[in-house]
Every structure is written in structure tokens, then in C-alpha cells.
Amino acid sequence: DWSSSALLWWLGLDVVLVAGVWLTEKPMQLDYGRFRAISLLYAFVLLGVLLQAAYAWWQQPSWQWAMFTVGMLAFVASDLILSHSYFGKRPEKPWMISGNYACYFGAQCLVAWSLAASAWEPIRDDRNGACIVIIWYWILWSAIASGVFSSSSVNRPQFTR
């Protein structure tokens, strides 16, 4: 049930998590510099999709929602690693590159499989409105991610703080 109280809880928890991202910047030895605002917006969308997926899984238990939620957790893990690569004050370690690729491409596969499976096998009755909301957040999240954090493994852009 996507009631207004559930939406308020989701929004409140999302804001608390984004505040946590902001407050842990210094303890994690990160410096977002001029990318702080867009990084926090990105965190809001990413964590919002994760929270909605988890809520949908709780409301409509299915292997598709489970796969989507685990995929979103893998995206969060990938971005935690990536934030240290781009904004960290310490040098990048070799495991960060392979860890980021494993989490990122694993997440892509899990999310794609869950969406494809949902298209062929509807989750349950006609309550697929939640899936549509999550897909639109996914599109917005992807647009933000590709515009801000796009890079090549050969020629990664250097951010100035």
C-alpha cells in the first residue's frame, strides 16, 4: 500500500540517509568540493530508489523485488567505492577498481533481470504502480549518474575541488 504515511516515512528516511552522507564526508576523508550539491542530489535519488525497492519487496514479496533491491544495494556499494576514487584524500587502491566493476556490473545485471522478469511475469495483481514509480526514479538516477560521473577507465576526468 503506497499510502501518504508510507510516502512520508520514505521521504523522511531518505532525507536522514542523505544527511548521513553529508555528515560523514569529513570522517570518511572525502572532499566533494564544488560537486557537493549534485552529489547529495544523486545520493537522494539513489537511496530513494533503494528504499522504494525495499518497501515494494516488503509489501509485495517476490523474487523480482528481491533481485531489484539487491541490485540497488550493489549500486550503493559501487558508489561508496567510487566516491573514494573520485573524492577521497587517500590514493586509490587496486581493489577499488575491481570492486567497483564487480558491484556496478552485478547491479546492472540484477536490475535488468528483475525488470525483464517483471515484464513477463507480473509481480502480483494490478499493483504495478510501484514498479512504474521505481522505473522512473531509475531513469532519473541514470541520467544524473551518466552526466556527472561518466568516465573512461583509460582517461578518467580529474575533478578540481
Side-chain angles (χ1 to χ4, degrees), residues 83-148:
S83 67
H84 282 279
S85 297
Y86 281 115
F87 304 113
K89 296 177 182 178
R90 293 175 279 177
E92 187 176 46
K93 295 184 168 65
W95 71 265
M96 294 170 125
I97 296 167
S98 57
N100 178 57
Y101 282 139
C103 290
Y104 181 78
F105 290 114
Q108 286 283 358
C109 290
L110 287 169
V111 168
W113 287 334
S114 69
L115 292 177
S118 296
W120 283 293
E121 181 185 325
I123 293 174
R124 265 203 301 181
D125 50 55
D126 62 347
R127 295 185 292 170
N128 286 333
C131 189
I132 293 168
V133 169
I134 288 178
I135 290 169
W136 278 110
Y137 273 107
W138 175 258
I139 292 167
L140 175 62
W141 175 83
S142 297
I144 291 171
S146 65
V148 176

Side-chain angles (χ1 to χ4, degrees), residues 137-161:
Y137 273 107
W138 175 258
I139 292 167
L140 175 62
W141 175 83
S142 297
I144 291 171
S146 65
V148 176
F149 297 107
S150 62
S151 68
S152 159
S153 60
V154 176
N155 199 6
R156 192 173 74 191
Q158 296 298 312
F159 293 116
T160 55
R161 294 183 175 105

